[in-house]
Amino acid sequence: MIFISHQHKDKEFVGDIAQTLSDIFGEEKVFFDDWSIKPGENIVNRMNTGLEECKYFFFFVTRNSLESEMVNLEWTSTLIDKANRQIEFIPIRADDVNVPQILKSIKYLDLYSNGMDTIKTQIIEIVQGQETNRKYPTYQNLEAYVLRESEKELKFFIKAKRFFEPNGKFVLVTKLDDKQAEFNLIGGGMTRNSFNPNAAQLGGENANVFFLEIPEGVKKGFKIGLSFIKKVSSDVDIALFHMKTESKFERIPTTLINSEIDIPTS
């Protein structure tokens, strides 16, 4: 049994991880309140059963969980019980917070610094499984704000919502080619750029890909500015993606803004 100890306000990203584990090991082997506690059941009794049966206890350390009485009861009672039976107790730091002093002697995973993909791999390795398709919505750590600077220039400001994103590879898909448009990092800096004709589909038709890699990734609290400049007057469709792997691309949710001051600071 794998027990997922978290505070409900963090469910947006914890649910993604819980679903991945459920897909691998089976829902009955993952105690996650969304599916482990049925309507009408005694919550405390079901939580107690899950804690008694668990072999792996993952405690997501966030501001929300540290302020939760229920979550504090879960992890402190399990830590005491760890001395009496075999339990893998793994804290996961998921905010810019300090792990409780009593847990500092226990090796913890650092989701806040290493990002979702790395942590998922580490968790899977701990319980020795392999990933399959997931049903729970994938948590998207990156978001973009789009500013129409002029008729020919769009600026994309990319932010990490919660965790450091070590992978700084982005692709912009358009039907324009490298003689008709350019895609660059605003303000200069170290990047790796390339252009790949007919490497994607857009609106059911072949499209071109502008690739840009920022080696330092995307840090929470900072924004990365990317500029797409058209050298022609025609309107064209474009799409911005985060390149997760060589074959996996995740479209970045975008929000139109009228000015940079409209970008949230948190």
Side-chain angles (χ1 to χ4, degrees), residues 13-258:
F13 71 91
V14 178
D16 181 0
I17 295 171
Q19 184 65 60
T20 297
L21 295 175
S22 173
D23 289 340
I24 296 167
F25 303 106
E27 187 175 287
E28 72 283 357
K29 294 293 186 181
V30 180
F31 191 97
F32 183 61
D33 55 3
D34 268 18
W35 57 70
S36 299
I37 303 176
K38 309 302 182 187
E41 288 187 324
N42 185 295
I43 295 174
V44 174
N45 286 344
R46 286 294 296 126
M47 297 287 280
N48 187 59
T49 300
L51 290 170
E52 287 178 345
E53 295 177 352
C54 82
K55 181 178 179 181
Y56 301 95
F57 183 91
F58 292 99
F59 168 36
F60 286 85
V61 184
T62 67
R63 289 185 180 85
N64 294 324
S65 66
L66 292 176
E67 294 173 358
S68 167
E69 183 177 350
M70 178 63 77
V71 176
N72 281 321
L73 283 172
E74 290 172 5
W75 76 260
T76 52
S77 63
T78 303
L79 190 62
I80 293 170
D81 203 22
K82 185 178 184 295
N84 301 318
R85 62 189 181 95
Q86 286 190 331
I87 302 174
E88 291 284 345
F89 187 106
I90 303 101
I92 302 175
R93 178 175 174 262
D95 257 347
D96 187 14
V97 295
N98 292 323
V99 173
Q101 188 67 33
I102 197 171
L103 299 180
K104 294 213 172 157
S105 62
I106 300 174
K107 185 175 180 180
Y108 63 88
L109 305 182
D110 198 341
L111 172 55
Y112 181 79
S113 299
N114 297 320
M116 283 284 282
D117 292 339
T118 297
I119 292 304
K120 278 187 181 181
T121 300
Q122 290 176 332
I123 292 173
I124 292 166
E125 287 175 349
I126 287 171
V127 291
Q128 299 190 357
Q130 60 184 13
E131 187 172 1
T132 58
N133 294 329
R134 64 177 63 87
K135 303 169 189 173
Y136 206 96
T138 300
Y139 178 74
Q140 290 188 298
N141 187 39
L142 295 181
E143 59 187 356
Y145 294 85
V146 185
L147 174 64
R148 186 177 292 276
E149 188 70 17
S150 68
E151 183 181 342
K152 292 188 176 181
E153 182 179 11
L154 287 178
K155 289 183 176 179
F156 295 88
F157 298 97
I158 300 172
K159 294 182 60 182
K161 290 194 291 186
R162 186 146 191 168
F163 317 115
F164 168 61
E165 184 58 62
N167 181 348
K169 297 178 180 179
F170 302 98
V171 297
L172 188 140
V173 180
T174 175
K175 294 178 183 177
L176 298 181
D177 60 31
D178 56 347
K179 293 183 175 61
Q180 299 170 312
E182 59 184 52
F183 185 50
N184 296 302
L185 178 68
I186 295 173
M190 185 179 295
T191 61
R192 185 164 70 91
N193 299 64
S194 67
F195 174 74
N196 302 285
N198 298 319
Q201 289 275 312
L202 188 63
E205 299 180 9
N206 286 341
N208 303 318
V209 166
F210 287 86
F211 170 84
L212 187 151
E213 180 179 4
I214 303 165
E216 64 267 25
V218 184
K219 298 177 182 177
K220 184 180 184 299
F222 296 87
K223 62 179 183 289
I224 299 296
L226 305 178
S227 172
F228 175 70
I229 299 176
K230 296 187 299 178
K231 300 177 182 178
V232 294
S233 299
S234 60
D235 288 332
V236 290
D237 292 331
I238 59 174
L240 180 65
F241 292 84
H242 183 213
M243 185 175 176
K244 307 282 284 184
T245 67
E246 292 298 321
S247 60
K248 182 179 178 182
F249 298 82
E250 186 175 85
R251 190 160 186 169
I252 302 175
T254 57
T255 302
L256 291 173
I257 56 174
N258 296 314

